[in-house]
Amino acid sequence: MKHASVVCAVLLALVFASAASAQVIPPGGSQFNPPLPAPPPPPKIEVPVVPQLDALPQPNYAPTPGPSFGERISKCLDDAAASGLGPSERSNYSRNCANR
């Protein structure tokens, strides 16, 4: 009976020893390096839309954006200075002019 328990112990030691060496470190690698990331997904290939000869073109007219508030203030201040208004009159004029 003692011989059987020794054989079992040896077999268990061999099984656990082989499980511990299952992680193979490549040459030049380190056990502390993180694993490589998964490869990126393949690019999505889509068929382009082919324009039809008998279809009317669809214009894409977007309205041009107006000047920003700061640009309007600057223009109004320049106009007020060109008109010869004083500093206090310029501020009043530019406030009214920019809000129109």
Side-chain angles (χ1 to χ4, degrees):
M1 189 67 144
K2 187 170 184 165
H3 182 61
S5 64
V6 172
V7 170
C8 273
V10 170
L11 284 176
L12 284 175
L14 288 175
V15 168
F16 286 120
S18 65
S21 65
Q23 294 180 345
V24 177
I25 300 171
S30 170
Q31 65 179 354
F32 301 113
N33 287 345
L36 295 175
K44 184 190 280 188
I45 298 174
E46 296 179 0
V47 177
V49 177
V50 178
Q52 303 297 319
L53 291 176
D54 59 347
L56 294 174
Q58 298 293 326
N60 186 12
Y61 296 117
T64 57
S68 68
F69 185 75
E71 291 170 343
R72 291 194 316 258
I73 287 285
S74 295
K75 183 185 177 310
C76 292
L77 283 172
D78 291 342
D79 292 345
S83 299
L85 296 176
S88 61
E89 296 165 328
R90 282 185 209 161
S91 64
N92 192 15
Y93 175 80
S94 65
R95 222 174 301 129
N96 292 330
C97 170
N99 288 325
R100 280 191 242 160

